[in-house]
Amino acid sequence: MKKSQGVFCYLANKGFKNYFELFKSLFLLKKNFLFNYKHDVIVFHESNFNKLIIYIYSFIFSIEFRLINLNEQYYTNKQNIKIDSDLKSFGIGYRSMCFFFFSQFYKHIKDYKYYCRLDTDSFLTGKINFDFFQSMKDNNFLYGYI
């Protein structure tokens, strides 16, 4: 159920450190923003993400997890993909993440007017005393950044 026109989005990876950082980020987001302003949170993940973590975090934070396949585009088309020599130092995972955010991401958030992309190591360390999604709407903003 959609709570508002704004959504927070994460792309989470497996692993103890990543699970801990995601928990910390979600905890601080809830404490310093979502406690006062009700918005959705979607965590995108691949099939190897721990199912118990999904269950527990969904319950604690009232968020949605969405399964994606980051490398599908690469592996189904790798014979046709030419990688610029300047980009070879970036791994398949990083390039697949970029492809996801520039092409497939929007089909997942098309019902929202605004989104805020956070990394699992993004931490809101202090209270935010205004709803920046509402501020964007009130001021007819299309884009914001820090």
Side-chain angles (χ1 to χ4, degrees):
M1 183 168 110
K2 231 174 90 168
K3 297 175 190 166
S4 76
Q5 291 187 45
V7 62
F8 290 92
C9 300
Y10 290 89
L11 176 59
N13 202 351
K14 69 176 182 165
F16 179 77
K17 181 179 184 262
N18 295 319
Y19 299 146
F20 175 77
E21 286 181 339
L22 177 61
F23 184 90
K24 181 178 176 182
S25 183
L26 290 168
F27 175 81
L28 291 169
L29 176 63
K30 185 174 183 176
K31 175 185 170 200
N32 293 320
F33 187 80
L34 293 176
F35 186 76
N36 292 318
Y37 310 106
K38 306 300 180 210
H39 295 286
D40 294 330
V41 177
I42 300 171
V43 178
F44 298 98
H45 67 92
E46 292 191 277
S47 61
N48 59 1
F49 201 84
N50 187 295
K51 289 173 184 27
L52 183 59
I53 294 289
I54 292 171
Y55 178 78
I56 292 169
Y57 288 16
S58 297
F59 179 75
I60 292 172
F61 299 111
S62 298
I63 61 175
E64 178 185 350
F65 280 83
R66 288 196 190 168
L67 177 65
I68 60 169
N69 186 341
L70 270 185
N71 296 321
E72 178 181 33
Q73 178 70 18
Y74 174 79
Y75 286 119
T76 56
N77 296 296
K78 72 180 182 178
Q79 70 279 3
N80 300 323
I81 296 174
K82 292 195 180 216
I83 300 169
D84 186 286
S85 60
D86 293 338
L87 301 176
K88 286 195 185 253
S89 64
F90 295 98
I92 293 168
Y94 180 80
R95 291 193 306 263
S96 295
M97 177 208 55
C98 292
F99 180 82
F100 171 73
F101 278 114
F102 285 107
S103 65
Q104 301 166 339
F105 174 68
Y106 296 100
K107 74 180 179 185
H108 292 281
I109 62 163
K110 66 181 182 224
D111 294 333
Y112 295 95
K113 184 160 182 158
Y114 307 101
Y115 77 92
C116 178
R117 179 178 167 235
L118 296 173
D119 291 323
T120 55
D121 60 353
S122 299
F123 306 123
L124 299 178
T125 58
K127 292 258 186 239
I128 298 177
N129 295 318
F130 73 101
D131 183 343
F132 50 82
F133 290 130
Q134 187 62 47
S135 178
M136 290 184 74
K137 180 180 178 186
D138 293 346
N139 293 293
N140 254 348
F141 292 153
L142 298 176
Y143 182 80
Y145 66 93
I146 296 176

